[in-house]
Amino acid sequence: MLTLTDGAVQVIRTVTANPELPPETGIRIEPGVNGSDALRLSVAAAPEAGDQIVEEEGARVYLEPEVAQLLDDKTLDAQVDQQGEVEFTIAGGDAV
């Protein structure tokens, strides 16, 4: 199962902390568009049918089933640069 670093937990909790969002809001990772190898990450109000749910310290990640298999033994990390831009990485350095 995908694991989350402390940095990823902090960033996800910050991104989903908006009081106007439902309490089950998380980050969803799904395949990129047009069959690309890239993954697409978005804020999701709830998981979709079949999604694997990874929850750690209040941070929720919803994984599309195919992506869940791909990331089964990986670690998700996140960093915020000096301009406030967030970059998620998967253990091995692949940017999401």
Side-chain angles (χ1 to χ4, degrees), residues 46-82:
E48 293 187 14
D51 281 357
Q52 181 182 87
I53 301 169
V54 176
E55 186 171 359
E56 193 168 317
E57 297 178 35
R60 291 176 196 81
V61 178
Y62 305 129
L63 302 170
E64 184 274 341
E66 184 178 315
V67 170
Q69 286 184 344
L70 178 69
L71 302 181
D72 186 47
D73 60 347
K74 307 288 189 246
T75 300
L76 182 67
D77 191 16
Q79 296 181 342
V80 180
D81 67 20
Q82 292 181 347

Side-chain angles (χ1 to χ4, degrees):
M1 178 179 286
L2 179 72
T3 58
L4 309 177
T5 66
D6 290 340
V9 168
Q10 287 295 94
V11 169
I12 293 166
R13 286 172 53 185
T14 300
V15 168
T16 61
N18 184 333
E20 295 179 15
L21 296 173
E24 60 275 358
T25 298
I27 299 295
R28 185 164 194 269
I29 304 176
E30 59 192 332
V33 288
N34 300 325
S36 74
D37 288 339
L39 297 175
R40 193 168 77 172
L41 188 141
S42 61
V43 175
E48 293 187 14
D51 281 357
Q52 181 182 87
I53 301 169
V54 176
E55 186 171 359
E56 193 168 317
E57 297 178 35
R60 291 176 196 81
V61 178
Y62 305 129
L63 302 170
E64 184 274 341
E66 184 178 315
V67 170
Q69 286 184 344
L70 178 69
L71 302 181
D72 186 47
D73 60 347
K74 307 288 189 246
T75 300
L76 182 67
D77 191 16
Q79 296 181 342
V80 180
D81 67 20
Q82 292 181 347
Q83 290 76 35
E85 297 291 322
V86 175
E87 181 180 68
F88 285 92
T89 55
I90 297 171
D94 300 329
V96 178

